[in-house]
Amino acid sequence: MLSRSSFTSLVVGVFALYVAHTCWVMYGIVYTRPCPAAATGGGAAGCVWPYLARRPKLQLSVYTTTRSNIGAESNIDLVLNVENFDIESKFERTVNVSVPKKTRNNGTLYAYIFLHHAGILPWHDGKQVHIVSPLTTYMVPKPEEINLLTGESATQQIEAEKQTNALDEPVSHWRSRLTLNVMVEDFVFDGSSLPADVHRYMKMVQLGKTVHYLPILFIDQLSNRVKDLMVINRSTTELPLTVSYDKISLGKLRFWIHMQDAVYSLQQFGFSEKDADEVKGIFVDTNLYFLALTFFVAAFHLLFDFLAFKNDISFWKKKRSMIGMSTKAVLWRCFSTVVIFLFLLDEQTSLLVLIPAGIGAVIELWKVKKALKMTIKWQGLRPKIQFGTYNDSEKKTEEYDAQAMKYLSYLLYPLCIGGAGYSLLNVKYKRYCKSINNLIQN
C-alpha cells in the first residue's frame, strides 16, 4: 500500500505529465508543418496552395432565411453586401434584419455568409465559399427581479403575469452579433497530412496541375455571448445585427476551432448555455498569452485545492478530541459553506464553480460530525443519532470559545442586521419572492 507521501508524489507527477502533454498538444495546434515540397517550385506535387495568393477580387454577402438549406436565391433576404471586400481590413457594421413570422413564433433564422468573386451572384460562382450560422438560440429567460419593499409598477406586473406561465420554458433569443474571420496566411499545406480541424473548412479546386484551397471562411461562435442575446417577441418585426470582420492567422484559427469543439462537447454533456458562456469568456475576454499564463495558474490552483482537501481530510480523520478547537466555529463554517453552495445552485452557477463548492460543503458536514462526536446507529430503517461526551480539557476550551464568541457577537450582530437591511432596501430578487413581498405589503 502506498504511503501518503508516495501518493502525493504520484499525484504531483501525474499533474506534471498532464501539463507537459497539454503544452505539447497546444504546440501541435498552433504550429502547422508546411508542405516540404513547396520549396522546389509552384508545381510541387502533393502540395495544396492558397487561392488567395492569386489576389482575386472578392465580395462578401450575408443573407438570412428560415431554411437550413438553400439552392437558389428564392425566399432569402440580403442584409449585407460588401463589394471589393478587402480581407486585410477590419470592419464592423450594424444592420437591421427583418424577422419573419415563423421566427417570431419560436422558429429559427439562419445567416448564410458567402465569399465570392465580385460582380457574380454566389450561386453562379463555382469558386464561392459559404458558411451557415443560426441567428437564434433557445434559452430559458432570466427570471424577473423585484424589490421586496417597493414591489413593481402596474405595467411591470402586467408584463410579469404574461411571462409567469412560460418562465421555465426555453424561448427563442436573438444573437445580436455575427463575427467573421478569413484565414489570410499564404500557407502551403501538405496534401498527404492535412490537419483534420482545418480540413473540414476547406474547399479545394484544381487549377492546371496544382490544387488550390479556396479562402477559409470561419464564424467565431465563441463571441456569441449570453449578454448579447435578446428575447424575440411576437410583435418584433426588425432586430439589429452587428456584423464584424477581422483576419485570422492559421495558428489562432486552429486553436479557435478546437476551443469551439470543446464548448460544443460540454453542451452535449449537459452544460447549459450559461455554463458554456462562462467557458467562452475565458477565451474571448483574455489575451492568448495571458490565457496561457492563466492556464498554468488555474492548473496549479486545482492541484493546491486537491492537496488542501487531502490535508484537511487527513487532519480531521486523525482528530480524536476538540482540545484547542472551536466547535462553534466549525458549525458556523459549515452553515455558511452550505448556504453559499445553495445560493450558487439557485443561481445556476457554472459547474466549474458549483462542483468544488459542493465538495467543500460535504467535507464541512463531515467535520461537524467529527466535532460533535456524532455516531449514527440504525434500528431497522430508523437512524438513531448519539453524541459523545467532552472531557475536562475540551469543556475548558468550550468556555474560552463561548467567551470569545460573546465579544465577537458585539461586532457581528450589528453587521449582519445592517447587511440584511441594506439587502432588503436595495437588492432585487427573483420573482418567486413575490409571495414574500405580498405578505410584507399586506
Side-chain angles (χ1 to χ4, degrees):
M1 182 179 293
L2 288 175
S3 64
R4 287 173 183 154
S5 60
S6 299
F7 177 74
T8 303
S9 301
L10 177 63
V11 171
V12 174
V14 171
F15 170 78
L17 289 176
Y18 167 75
V19 172
H21 177 264
T22 303
C23 293
W24 176 253
V25 171
M26 295 303 299
Y27 174 78
I29 293 175
V30 175
Y31 175 77
T32 305
R33 186 173 67 90
C35 182
T40 62
C47 296
V48 183
W49 299 81
Y51 183 75
L52 284 177
R54 305 166 72 95
R55 301 296 181 261
K57 291 184 179 181
L58 300 175
Q59 182 174 334
L60 179 70
S61 302
V62 180
Y63 296 86
T64 59
T65 179
T66 56
R67 296 181 298 171
S68 58
N69 293 295
I70 60 172
E73 53 184 315
S74 58
N75 297 324
I76 61 174
D77 294 324
L78 178 65
V79 296
L80 180 63
N81 185 27
V82 182
E83 299 179 354
N84 298 322
F85 175 64
D86 183 7
I87 61 172
E88 298 287 344
S89 300
K90 178 180 179 181
F91 72 85
E92 181 173 293
R93 300 184 186 180
T94 301
V95 295
N96 290 324
V97 178
S98 298
V99 183
K101 183 178 180 180
K102 182 179 179 181
T103 304
R104 297 197 299 266
N105 293 329
N106 267 3
T108 304
L109 189 67
Y110 298 93
Y112 277 76
I113 302 94
F114 289 91
L115 189 59
H116 55 98
H117 287 89
I120 305 176
L121 290 175
W123 30 87
H124 296 160
D125 185 5
K127 295 184 180 64
Q128 58 84 15
V129 292
H130 71 276
I131 195 167
V132 186
S133 176
L135 295 177
T136 56
T137 186
Y138 293 95
M139 192 177 69
V140 176
K142 182 181 178 180
E144 192 172 339
E145 297 177 341
I146 60 172
N147 187 286
L148 294 182
L149 290 179
T150 61
E152 51 192 1
S153 64
T155 304
Q156 290 176 318
Q157 290 178 355
I158 294 173
E159 292 297 324
E161 290 173 0
K162 293 180 180 178
Q163 298 179 5
T164 299
N165 295 333
L167 189 61
D168 297 328
E169 299 179 2
V171 298
S172 185
H173 285 65
W174 176 255
R175 299 186 186 273
S176 60
R177 295 193 64 87
L178 183 63
T179 305
L180 310 176
N181 301 114
V182 174
M183 200 279 286
V184 297
E185 290 185 24
D186 291 338
F187 189 85
V188 183
F189 287 95
D190 187 353
S192 60
S193 59
L194 286 172
D197 45 21
V198 182
H199 189 201
R200 69 177 187 261
Y201 289 91
M202 295 175 64
K203 180 180 179 182
M204 289 173 280
V205 295
Q206 183 82 29
L207 299 177
K209 296 182 179 180
T210 59
V211 178
H212 288 70
Y213 64 92
L214 296 176
I216 299 178
L217 182 61
F218 177 73
I219 295 181
D220 183 5
Q221 301 288 0
L222 295 179
S223 298
N224 291 331
R225 306 295 302 280
V226 170
K227 63 183 180 182
D228 297 323
L229 296 179
M230 303 167 59
V231 178
I232 300 178
N233 299 320
R234 294 188 178 182
S235 59
T236 304
T237 57
E238 280 190 349
L239 286 171
L241 176 66
T242 301
V243 181
S244 58
Y245 165 79
D246 197 5
K247 61 183 180 180
I248 191 171
S249 63
L250 177 59
K252 185 176 180 180
L253 172 66
R254 296 192 61 193
F255 178 78
W256 238 232
I257 292 174
H258 280 272
M259 294 306 102
Q260 288 191 174
D261 291 345
V263 172
Y264 177 77
S265 299
L266 291 178
Q267 291 176 316
Q268 297 303 306
F269 278 108
F271 275 57
S272 66
E273 185 81 21
K274 186 177 180 181
D275 295 329
D277 183 74
E278 294 192 13
V279 178
K280 291 178 183 179
I282 298 175
F283 305 106
V284 176
D285 300 336
T286 309
N287 181 276
L288 288 181
Y289 295 104
F290 186 71
L291 178 63
L293 176 62
T294 304
F295 164 75
F296 285 105
V297 172
F300 280 100
H301 186 273
L302 181 64
L303 175 64
F304 295 150
D305 270 347
F306 168 78
L307 295 177
F309 282 143
K310 171 184 171 296
N311 291 334
D312 199 18
I313 293 173
S314 299
F315 174 80
W316 281 92
K317 191 175 182 180
K318 296 183 296 183
K319 196 70 177 172
R320 293 292 181 266
S321 69
M322 289 298 292
I323 299 176
M325 301 288 294
S326 172
T327 304
K328 291 185 177 65
V330 175
L331 291 172
W332 278 110
R333 181 179 175 87
C334 176
F335 173 76
S336 60
T337 304
V338 172
V339 168
I340 292 173
F341 170 71
L342 294 176
F343 173 78
L344 295 175
L345 183 65
D346 178 66
E347 290 293 317
Q348 298 180 350
T349 307
S350 170
L351 295 177
L352 300 175
V353 178
L354 189 62
I355 291 176
I359 295 174
V362 172
I363 293 176
E364 292 299 326
L365 289 170
W366 173 72
K367 287 162 63 174
V368 168
K369 176 178 177 295
K370 295 283 292 184
L372 298 180
K373 300 182 179 182
M374 295 172 54
T375 56
I376 302 176
K377 296 183 179 180
W378 291 89
Q379 297 178 348
L381 298 177
R382 186 177 61 182
K384 182 180 180 181
I385 299 177
Q386 295 179 345
F387 295 91
T389 58
Y390 294 101
N391 56 36
D392 294 338
S393 298
E394 290 175 323
K395 291 179 180 178
K396 195 68 175 177
T397 300
E398 290 297 319
E399 292 178 4
Y400 290 133
D401 184 32
Q403 186 177 5
M405 291 297 294
K406 175 183 177 182
Y407 294 127
L408 186 61
S409 65
Y410 296 156
L411 176 65
L412 289 181
Y413 288 157
L415 289 177
C416 291
I417 296 173
Y422 175 84
S423 177
L424 185 65
L425 292 172
N426 298 285
V427 180
K428 294 183 179 180
Y429 298 88
K430 294 182 180 179
R431 287 202 56 82
Y432 54 67
C433 294
K434 187 176 180 180
S435 57
I436 301 177
N437 182 46
N438 292 335
L439 289 175
I440 295 175
Q441 291 181 346
N442 294 333

